[in-house]
Amino acid sequence: MSHIHFIGSGQMSEAMIRAIIKHKTASASDITAYDIRPEREKELHDNYGITAFAKPKKNIETLQKADIVVIGVRPQDDLKAVTADIAQNAKEKALIVSIVAGVTLAQFEGLLGKERAIARIIPNTLTDTGLGYSGVVINNQADKALTEKFVSGFGKCLFLEESLIDIFTGFGVCGPNYVYYFIEALVDAGVLAGLPRDIAWKTTMENLVGSVKMLEISGKHPRQLLDINNSPAGVGMNSLFALNQSDFTAGLQKSVLAAVKRTTELGQKKD
């Protein structure tokens, strides 16, 4: 892929860099990173072989060559200064990618200029797996194919209307949280019932992967598979009866709505 330059190398940027190199959508020699923390130069170079630096002058020089510029700073950082450097120095046709939470395309067009190609990406945290959808919004100037190719380095690309980004963040990007929590609870349930933890863990993981595969292979709705798996007055049906008496479904739905609400609040604070 073209030269990719990251401004800011926090956890998400680093995860993207690691995945892009692992999945060979770009080589280490094609990636550079600027971070105000001097120690990141050595860390990023030693871990991934990329060129990293902490000098603002070097950042300006690199911006003039980069084909894709990733804004990976925190929402509370000086975004105006970062975007001013990009607006003044980035190549005219460079794709500007933002992973900054709560900052809209319109706001970036105001900072960078409406003629700039801009993509707003909410990355999924499953970067190392190559799985998981990242939510993507692009303006009219951005190349859809190039954007999708870039995102494919750290997962799957899902183009959205910008009005859906906050909902997608609370549901899709936070999605692994719900799955991890469920796995932990199910393993603990096996231990509570008397299984050794290692057996409960292996069984839970195999059931999780196998159930997803079964849904894919069969093309059936989860309810159809539940009906197949539960005989009248059987063990499975009794377990579902007990689960239905809990707040499992409502609790999960409330957690998604809470995540969406918080995402929206953060965006409003940025306004």
Side-chain angles (χ1 to χ4, degrees), residues 12 14-25 123-134 151-156 172 176 179-180 205 208-209:
M12 196 67 247
E14 183 174 355
M16 292 164 67
I17 290 168
R18 181 174 61 247
I20 287 169
I21 294 171
K22 176 184 177 181
H23 300 134
K24 299 180 179 179
T25 51
N124 197 295
T125 59
L126 300 172
T127 49
D128 290 338
T129 69
L131 301 172
Y133 283 109
S134 292
V151 175
S152 71
F154 50 89
K156 297 182 178 181
V179 177
Y180 297 147
M205 291 299 291
L208 184 71
V209 174

Side-chain angles (χ1 to χ4, degrees), residues 133-262:
Y133 283 109
S134 292
V136 182
V137 180
I138 59 175
N139 69 355
N140 293 332
Q141 287 68 45
D143 185 291
K144 190 173 184 178
L146 175 61
T147 304
E148 187 164 12
K149 184 177 181 182
F150 171 69
V151 175
S152 71
F154 50 89
K156 297 182 178 181
C157 180
L158 185 62
F159 289 100
L160 300 166
E161 296 293 327
E162 193 163 26
S163 61
L164 297 177
I165 277 288
D166 287 351
I167 300 171
F168 180 80
T169 301
F171 175 72
V173 176
C174 289
N177 283 357
Y178 312 132
V179 177
Y180 297 147
Y181 196 89
F182 168 76
I183 291 172
E184 181 183 38
L186 189 55
V187 171
D188 284 348
V191 176
L192 177 65
L195 284 177
R197 184 166 291 276
D198 63 327
I199 294 177
W201 170 259
K202 288 190 292 186
T203 304
T204 296
M205 291 299 291
E206 195 68 15
N207 280 340
L208 184 71
V209 174
S211 297
V212 172
K213 196 67 180 177
M214 192 68 180
L215 285 167
E216 292 176 347
I217 291 172
S218 68
K220 294 182 182 296
H221 189 277
R223 174 52 60 183
Q224 292 176 287
L225 294 179
L226 279 169
D227 287 343
I228 293 171
N229 204 36
N230 293 300
S231 58
V235 173
M237 201 64 229
N238 272 269
S239 71
L240 286 180
F241 173 71
L243 189 60
N244 286 334
Q245 290 178 307
S246 73
D247 289 331
F248 177 77
T249 301
L252 182 60
Q253 292 169 349
K254 285 178 181 178
S255 68
V256 171
L257 293 179
V260 172
K261 181 175 181 288
R262 183 56 179 157

